[in-house]
Amino acid sequence: RLKDSLYWPDMAGYKGELSGFNALPSGYRSYGGTFHEKGDRAYFWTTSNVKDHPFSKTAIILSRYTNQAYTFGEAITNGYSVRCIKDR
């Protein structure tokens, strides 16, 4: 569970985050500077490269329409969120 019920409308009755991380449905910024999907999805960059595509990275998407997280390759020209994680 990575979604906070306050900001994800379809999470009514959700009792809190198990991982300590609460994603917000911030959407993303496209190459042209327009914002998309605010309130519906959260997009995050990872540090993983996409094989044979030097200007792409692996991204993670969370959606209000599903309880699963998805990964996909995306051009780095889009503006996605970043979550810094400290090694223990």
Side-chain angles (χ1 to χ4, degrees):
R1 296 184 192 175
L2 298 174
K3 301 174 187 175
D4 184 320
S5 63
L6 180 64
Y7 299 101
W8 295 86
D10 295 339
M11 299 295 290
Y14 178 67
K15 299 298 182 194
E17 177 45 48
L18 299 177
S19 69
F21 170 67
N22 289 315
L24 300 177
S26 56
Y28 71 96
R29 184 191 54 79
S30 65
Y31 174 74
T34 305
F35 288 89
H36 305 273
E37 300 184 358
K38 183 178 177 185
D40 289 331
R41 293 183 174 90
Y43 292 80
F44 295 91
W45 287 120
T46 71
T47 58
S48 300
N49 293 319
V50 175
K51 185 179 179 182
D52 298 327
H53 296 278
F55 298 106
S56 295
K57 290 282 188 185
T58 299
I60 297 172
I61 183 175
L62 300 174
S63 172
R64 69 181 281 190
Y65 305 107
T66 181
N67 289 329
Q68 298 179 7
Y70 296 96
T71 60
F72 60 98
E74 185 62 58
I76 58 174
T77 55
N78 286 332
Y80 294 171
S81 299
V82 176
R83 170 76 176 181
C84 297
I85 301 172
K86 179 179 177 183
D87 289 336
R88 293 183 184 202

